[in-house]
Amino acid sequence: QVQLVESGGGLVQAGGSLRLSCTASGRIFSNNVMGWYRQATGKQRELVADITSSGSTNYGDSAKGRFKISRDNAKNTVALQMNGLEPEDTAVYYCNTWRIVFGNRYEYWGQGTQVTVSS
């Protein structure tokens, strides 16, 4: 099992910045993907950004040009720097990690952290 604990959410005005952090513990394997998803009220959960253990990144359309994902493999952490926040970014943000082992996908989620952007 892998446990993910997020921190860094909160209330910010439009145009502001927040930095989310997530620490993984437990049975952590190499070659995993760590990332962030978000879910706004009444909407489906969507990818914000993810990053492989080798540093390759993938961003959702809403994050491109404004957010930056990074990770520290030695500390088993992943961070999301969010700049230029807009009210539309208001959502619960979830840390996620997954890996493929013998063709099976193993995936874990954090409990989520609320991000609220006021106009």
Side-chain angles (χ1 to χ4, degrees):
Q1 284 283 30
V2 175
Q3 293 78 42
L4 301 172
V5 178
E6 303 110 331
S7 62
L11 174 65
V12 64
Q13 289 187 334
S17 299
L18 280 176
R19 183 177 175 85
L20 305 182
S21 296
C22 173
T23 300
S25 61
R27 195 176 183 186
I28 300 168
F29 290 86
S30 59
N31 298 322
N32 60 12
V33 177
M34 298 188 76
W36 293 91
Y37 287 72
R38 72 185 187 184
Q39 187 166 20
T41 302
K43 295 187 177 181
Q44 289 188 332
R45 192 171 295 189
E46 64 176 0
L47 172 71
V48 178
D50 61 26
I51 182 169
T52 69
S53 55
S54 61
S56 296
T57 58
N58 177 41
Y59 291 91
D61 289 341
S62 62
K64 291 177 181 177
R66 298 188 300 133
F67 298 176
K68 183 175 182 180
I69 191 169
S70 59
R71 66 184 285 171
D72 185 329
N73 291 331
K75 297 181 179 180
N76 296 316
T77 58
V78 62
L80 183 70
Q81 178 65 42
M82 304 186 292
N83 300 323
L85 285 162
E86 303 167 350
E88 294 72 25
D89 296 314
T90 295
V92 178
Y93 284 69
Y94 296 92
C95 183
N96 168 276
T97 185
W98 62 270
R99 67 187 189 276
I100 303 294
V101 180
F102 299 116
N104 296 309
R105 180 178 172 119
Y106 293 84
E107 188 166 29
Y108 302 92
W109 295 90
Q111 80 284 356
T113 185
Q114 177 71 44
V115 171
T116 302
V117 184
S118 63
S119 58

